[in-house]
Amino acid sequence: MASLEQTLNRYRGIGPGFDFLRVFLAVCIVFVHAIQLTGYREALMETPGWFLTYALVPMFFALSGFLITASAIRLSLKNFLLNRGLRIVPALAVDVVICALVIGPLLTTYSLGDYFSGASFRVYFLNVFGWIHYSLPGVFTNNHSDQVNGALWTVPYEIMCYVFAAIFIVANWLRSKFKVLALTTVFLLVGGFIHPFGLFAMLPETLQGAADFLLVSKESQILEAFLLGIVAYQWRASIQYSKTAFWGCVALCILAALFPRVASWNISRLVLLPALTYMTVFIGLSAIPIPSYFKKGDYSYGIYLYHDPLMQSVIALFPAIAMGSYAGTAFTFLCGLSMVLLMSNLSWHFVEKPILAMRKRFSFVAKVRDLGDGATRADTGASLPEDVTAAPER
């Protein structure tokens, strides 16, 4: 039976299924958010569909950890940070500007003078730097949620993941198979076993907040998924590429989905997060075809950035249709997805791809795919979506 490393080498270091996986996860997130934004979040959480809200973002971060390690292990700290910055910031900045200067003025219930003078208008631009603000003056106030782009909640955690990766580069931990594994194990065990016994209450109040943020909160599981992705790459020679193991993980997740209370058990992440990570890597290293439309570029980051404000706009413009029925949810999803596919296409070809071409001198995948010379496929890096994996230079 082949290992993950042998399977990866068979494809010249380019995981063939990651293109499919990024798009699939992004579209699934659009679907889940359509349900939530049209007022059916609680109904979703009472069905096995709750597991989608649990699994999708951690799978993105596990993918990111696996793929970032492939590039970070051969990059200097400066080039790694430049690599990440060029991938995340330009498209995010354009998204923030469009929300604040186009969607907001068109849909606000305030006068334009009150809109542009509002404090929430000014601070909304801090989203570009990872300081997340969700509201704009008078925008989406009649929707179920007034958040302009609730999907941006992941940005601070993504930055935190890159901080960890940067520390690992400086400390040379990415070339050690045991150090990141030990740290990841500590994170999982502390959050899963120590917290339920109330031992965090013994810490000073400020440390309690930090411990909750890093180890206990629901959101902290995406950092742990990122670390598990790093571990999976480091141990790729020892982990088997096994259909039996994959379907076993799938069965485990289906079983968990049948019991919504599992979501409140921190201890469950000790089992579910490794299972989700293995599923993510297995799919990424499998040859899965995607529609030809998605072969022209990596639209997954744009899908993630724009889907919330576009679906919120649909709800605001057509409230009688979009809210109050499952048909309205389907309408919101289909309209939002159609618009976001167009926006993500524009974002890729006019913002992301030109910027990413600048990475060609230190990006393995950009060289393989000849990004700088007009090729259609991409060195895709990620905000949630991450680089198509590259084998490190030897």
Side-chain angles (χ1 to χ4, degrees):
M1 184 180 299
S3 67
L4 298 182
E5 182 176 50
Q6 290 170 329
T7 305
L8 185 60
N9 290 340
R10 184 189 312 157
Y11 295 109
R12 295 178 55 240
I14 304 293
F18 285 114
D19 285 339
F20 163 82
L21 189 59
R22 280 193 305 274
V23 172
F24 176 77
L25 291 175
V27 172
C28 285
I29 288 175
V30 176
F31 176 70
V32 169
H33 286 182
I35 295 173
Q36 295 175 339
L37 291 174
T38 53
Y40 291 102
R41 182 183 186 281
E42 297 304 321
L44 176 66
M45 297 303 289
E46 294 174 0
T47 72
W50 75 268
F51 195 76
L52 292 176
T53 69
Y54 179 94
L56 293 175
V57 173
M59 290 181 74
F60 255 134
F61 274 80
L63 180 155
S64 181
F66 186 84
L67 304 180
I68 276 180
T69 306
S71 60
I73 202 169
R74 59 188 170 75
L75 293 178
S76 67
L77 177 63
K78 175 184 175 181
N79 281 345
F80 171 77
L81 295 176
L82 181 61
N83 208 13
R84 296 300 93 219
L86 289 175
R87 181 51 179 143
I88 298 171
V89 176
L92 175 61
V94 172
D95 168 75
V96 169
V97 168
I98 288 176
C99 287
L101 299 182
V102 180
I103 294 176
L106 288 175
L107 297 180
T108 183
T109 57
Y110 290 12
S111 68
L112 290 182
D114 289 341
Y115 174 81
F116 286 114
S117 64
S120 58
F121 169 76
R122 294 190 298 272
V123 300
Y124 192 80
F125 291 93
L126 295 175
N127 287 330
V128 177
F129 307 100
W131 187 357
I132 304 305
H133 295 78
Y134 296 106
S135 299
L136 284 168
V139 179
F140 303 144
T141 52
N142 295 321
N143 291 10
H144 281 290
S145 169
D146 67 352
Q147 293 185 352
V148 176
N149 195 345
L152 296 185
W153 72 269
T154 61
V155 172
Y157 287 91
E158 183 171 9
I159 293 173
M160 180 173 61
C161 288
Y162 295 157
V163 168
F164 270 77
I167 292 172
F168 296 158
I169 291 173
V170 173
N172 202 29
W173 278 26
L174 293 181
R175 297 185 181 278
S176 169
K177 295 175 62 175
F178 294 95
K179 293 177 181 178
V180 179
L181 175 61
L183 178 65
T184 305
T185 302
V186 169
F187 269 61
L188 290 170
L189 292 178
V190 170
F193 286 106
I194 294 181
H195 172 66
F197 291 98
L199 296 184
F200 283 170
M202 301 170 59
L203 298 173
E205 186 173 347
T206 54
L207 292 181
Q208 287 184 39
D212 180 76
F213 178 80
L214 287 173
L215 301 169
V216 179
S217 66
K218 176 184 177 182
E219 293 79 8
S220 67
Q221 69 184 8
I222 61 180
L223 171 61
E224 294 161 354
F226 179 82
L227 293 174
L228 284 168
I230 293 177
V231 170
Y233 185 83
Q234 290 179 317
W235 288 81
R236 63 195 181 282
S238 303
I239 301 173
Q240 300 301 302
Y241 177 83
S242 167
K243 291 184 179 179
T244 301
F246 171 77
W247 288 112
C249 291
V250 171
L252 178 65
C253 291
I254 292 174
L255 181 63
L258 299 177
F259 300 94
R261 291 186 62 185
V262 169
S264 64
W265 301 345
N266 274 30
I267 196 172
S268 65
R269 66 180 65 179
L270 275 74
V271 177
L272 294 178
L273 289 182
L276 291 171
T277 300
Y278 186 84
M279 290 164 57
T280 299
V281 176
F282 183 92
I283 295 171
L285 298 184
S286 302
I288 302 177
I290 60 173
S292 58
Y293 175 84
F294 295 105
K295 295 179 180 179
K296 299 177 181 179
D298 175 24
Y299 304 144
S300 52
Y301 187 25
I303 292 172
Y304 189 81
L305 284 178
Y306 288 102
H307 76 276
D308 252 31
L310 290 177
M311 287 197 297
Q312 284 282 63
S313 299
V314 170
I315 295 169
L317 291 171
F318 306 101
I321 300 176
M323 293 190 286
S325 70
Y326 291 118
T329 298
F331 171 81
T332 301
F333 169 69
L334 293 175
C335 288
L337 183 62
S338 299
M339 291 189 296
V340 81
L341 288 178
L342 173 61
M343 285 298 297
S344 62
N345 186 300
L346 295 174
S347 176
W348 171 256
H349 288 288
F350 292 100
V351 180
E352 299 166 61
K353 182 180 177 181
I355 294 293
L356 293 178
M358 297 169 59
R359 304 190 308 174
K360 189 174 181 181
R361 68 183 180 84
F362 54 81
S363 172
F364 170 85
V365 180
K367 292 176 182 177
V368 169
R369 294 185 169 184
D370 204 17
L371 183 65
D373 296 328
T376 57
R377 300 197 63 198
D379 173 14
T380 53
S383 180
L384 282 171
E386 176 46 47
D387 299 355
V388 183
T389 189
E393 296 173 347
R394 300 185 185 279

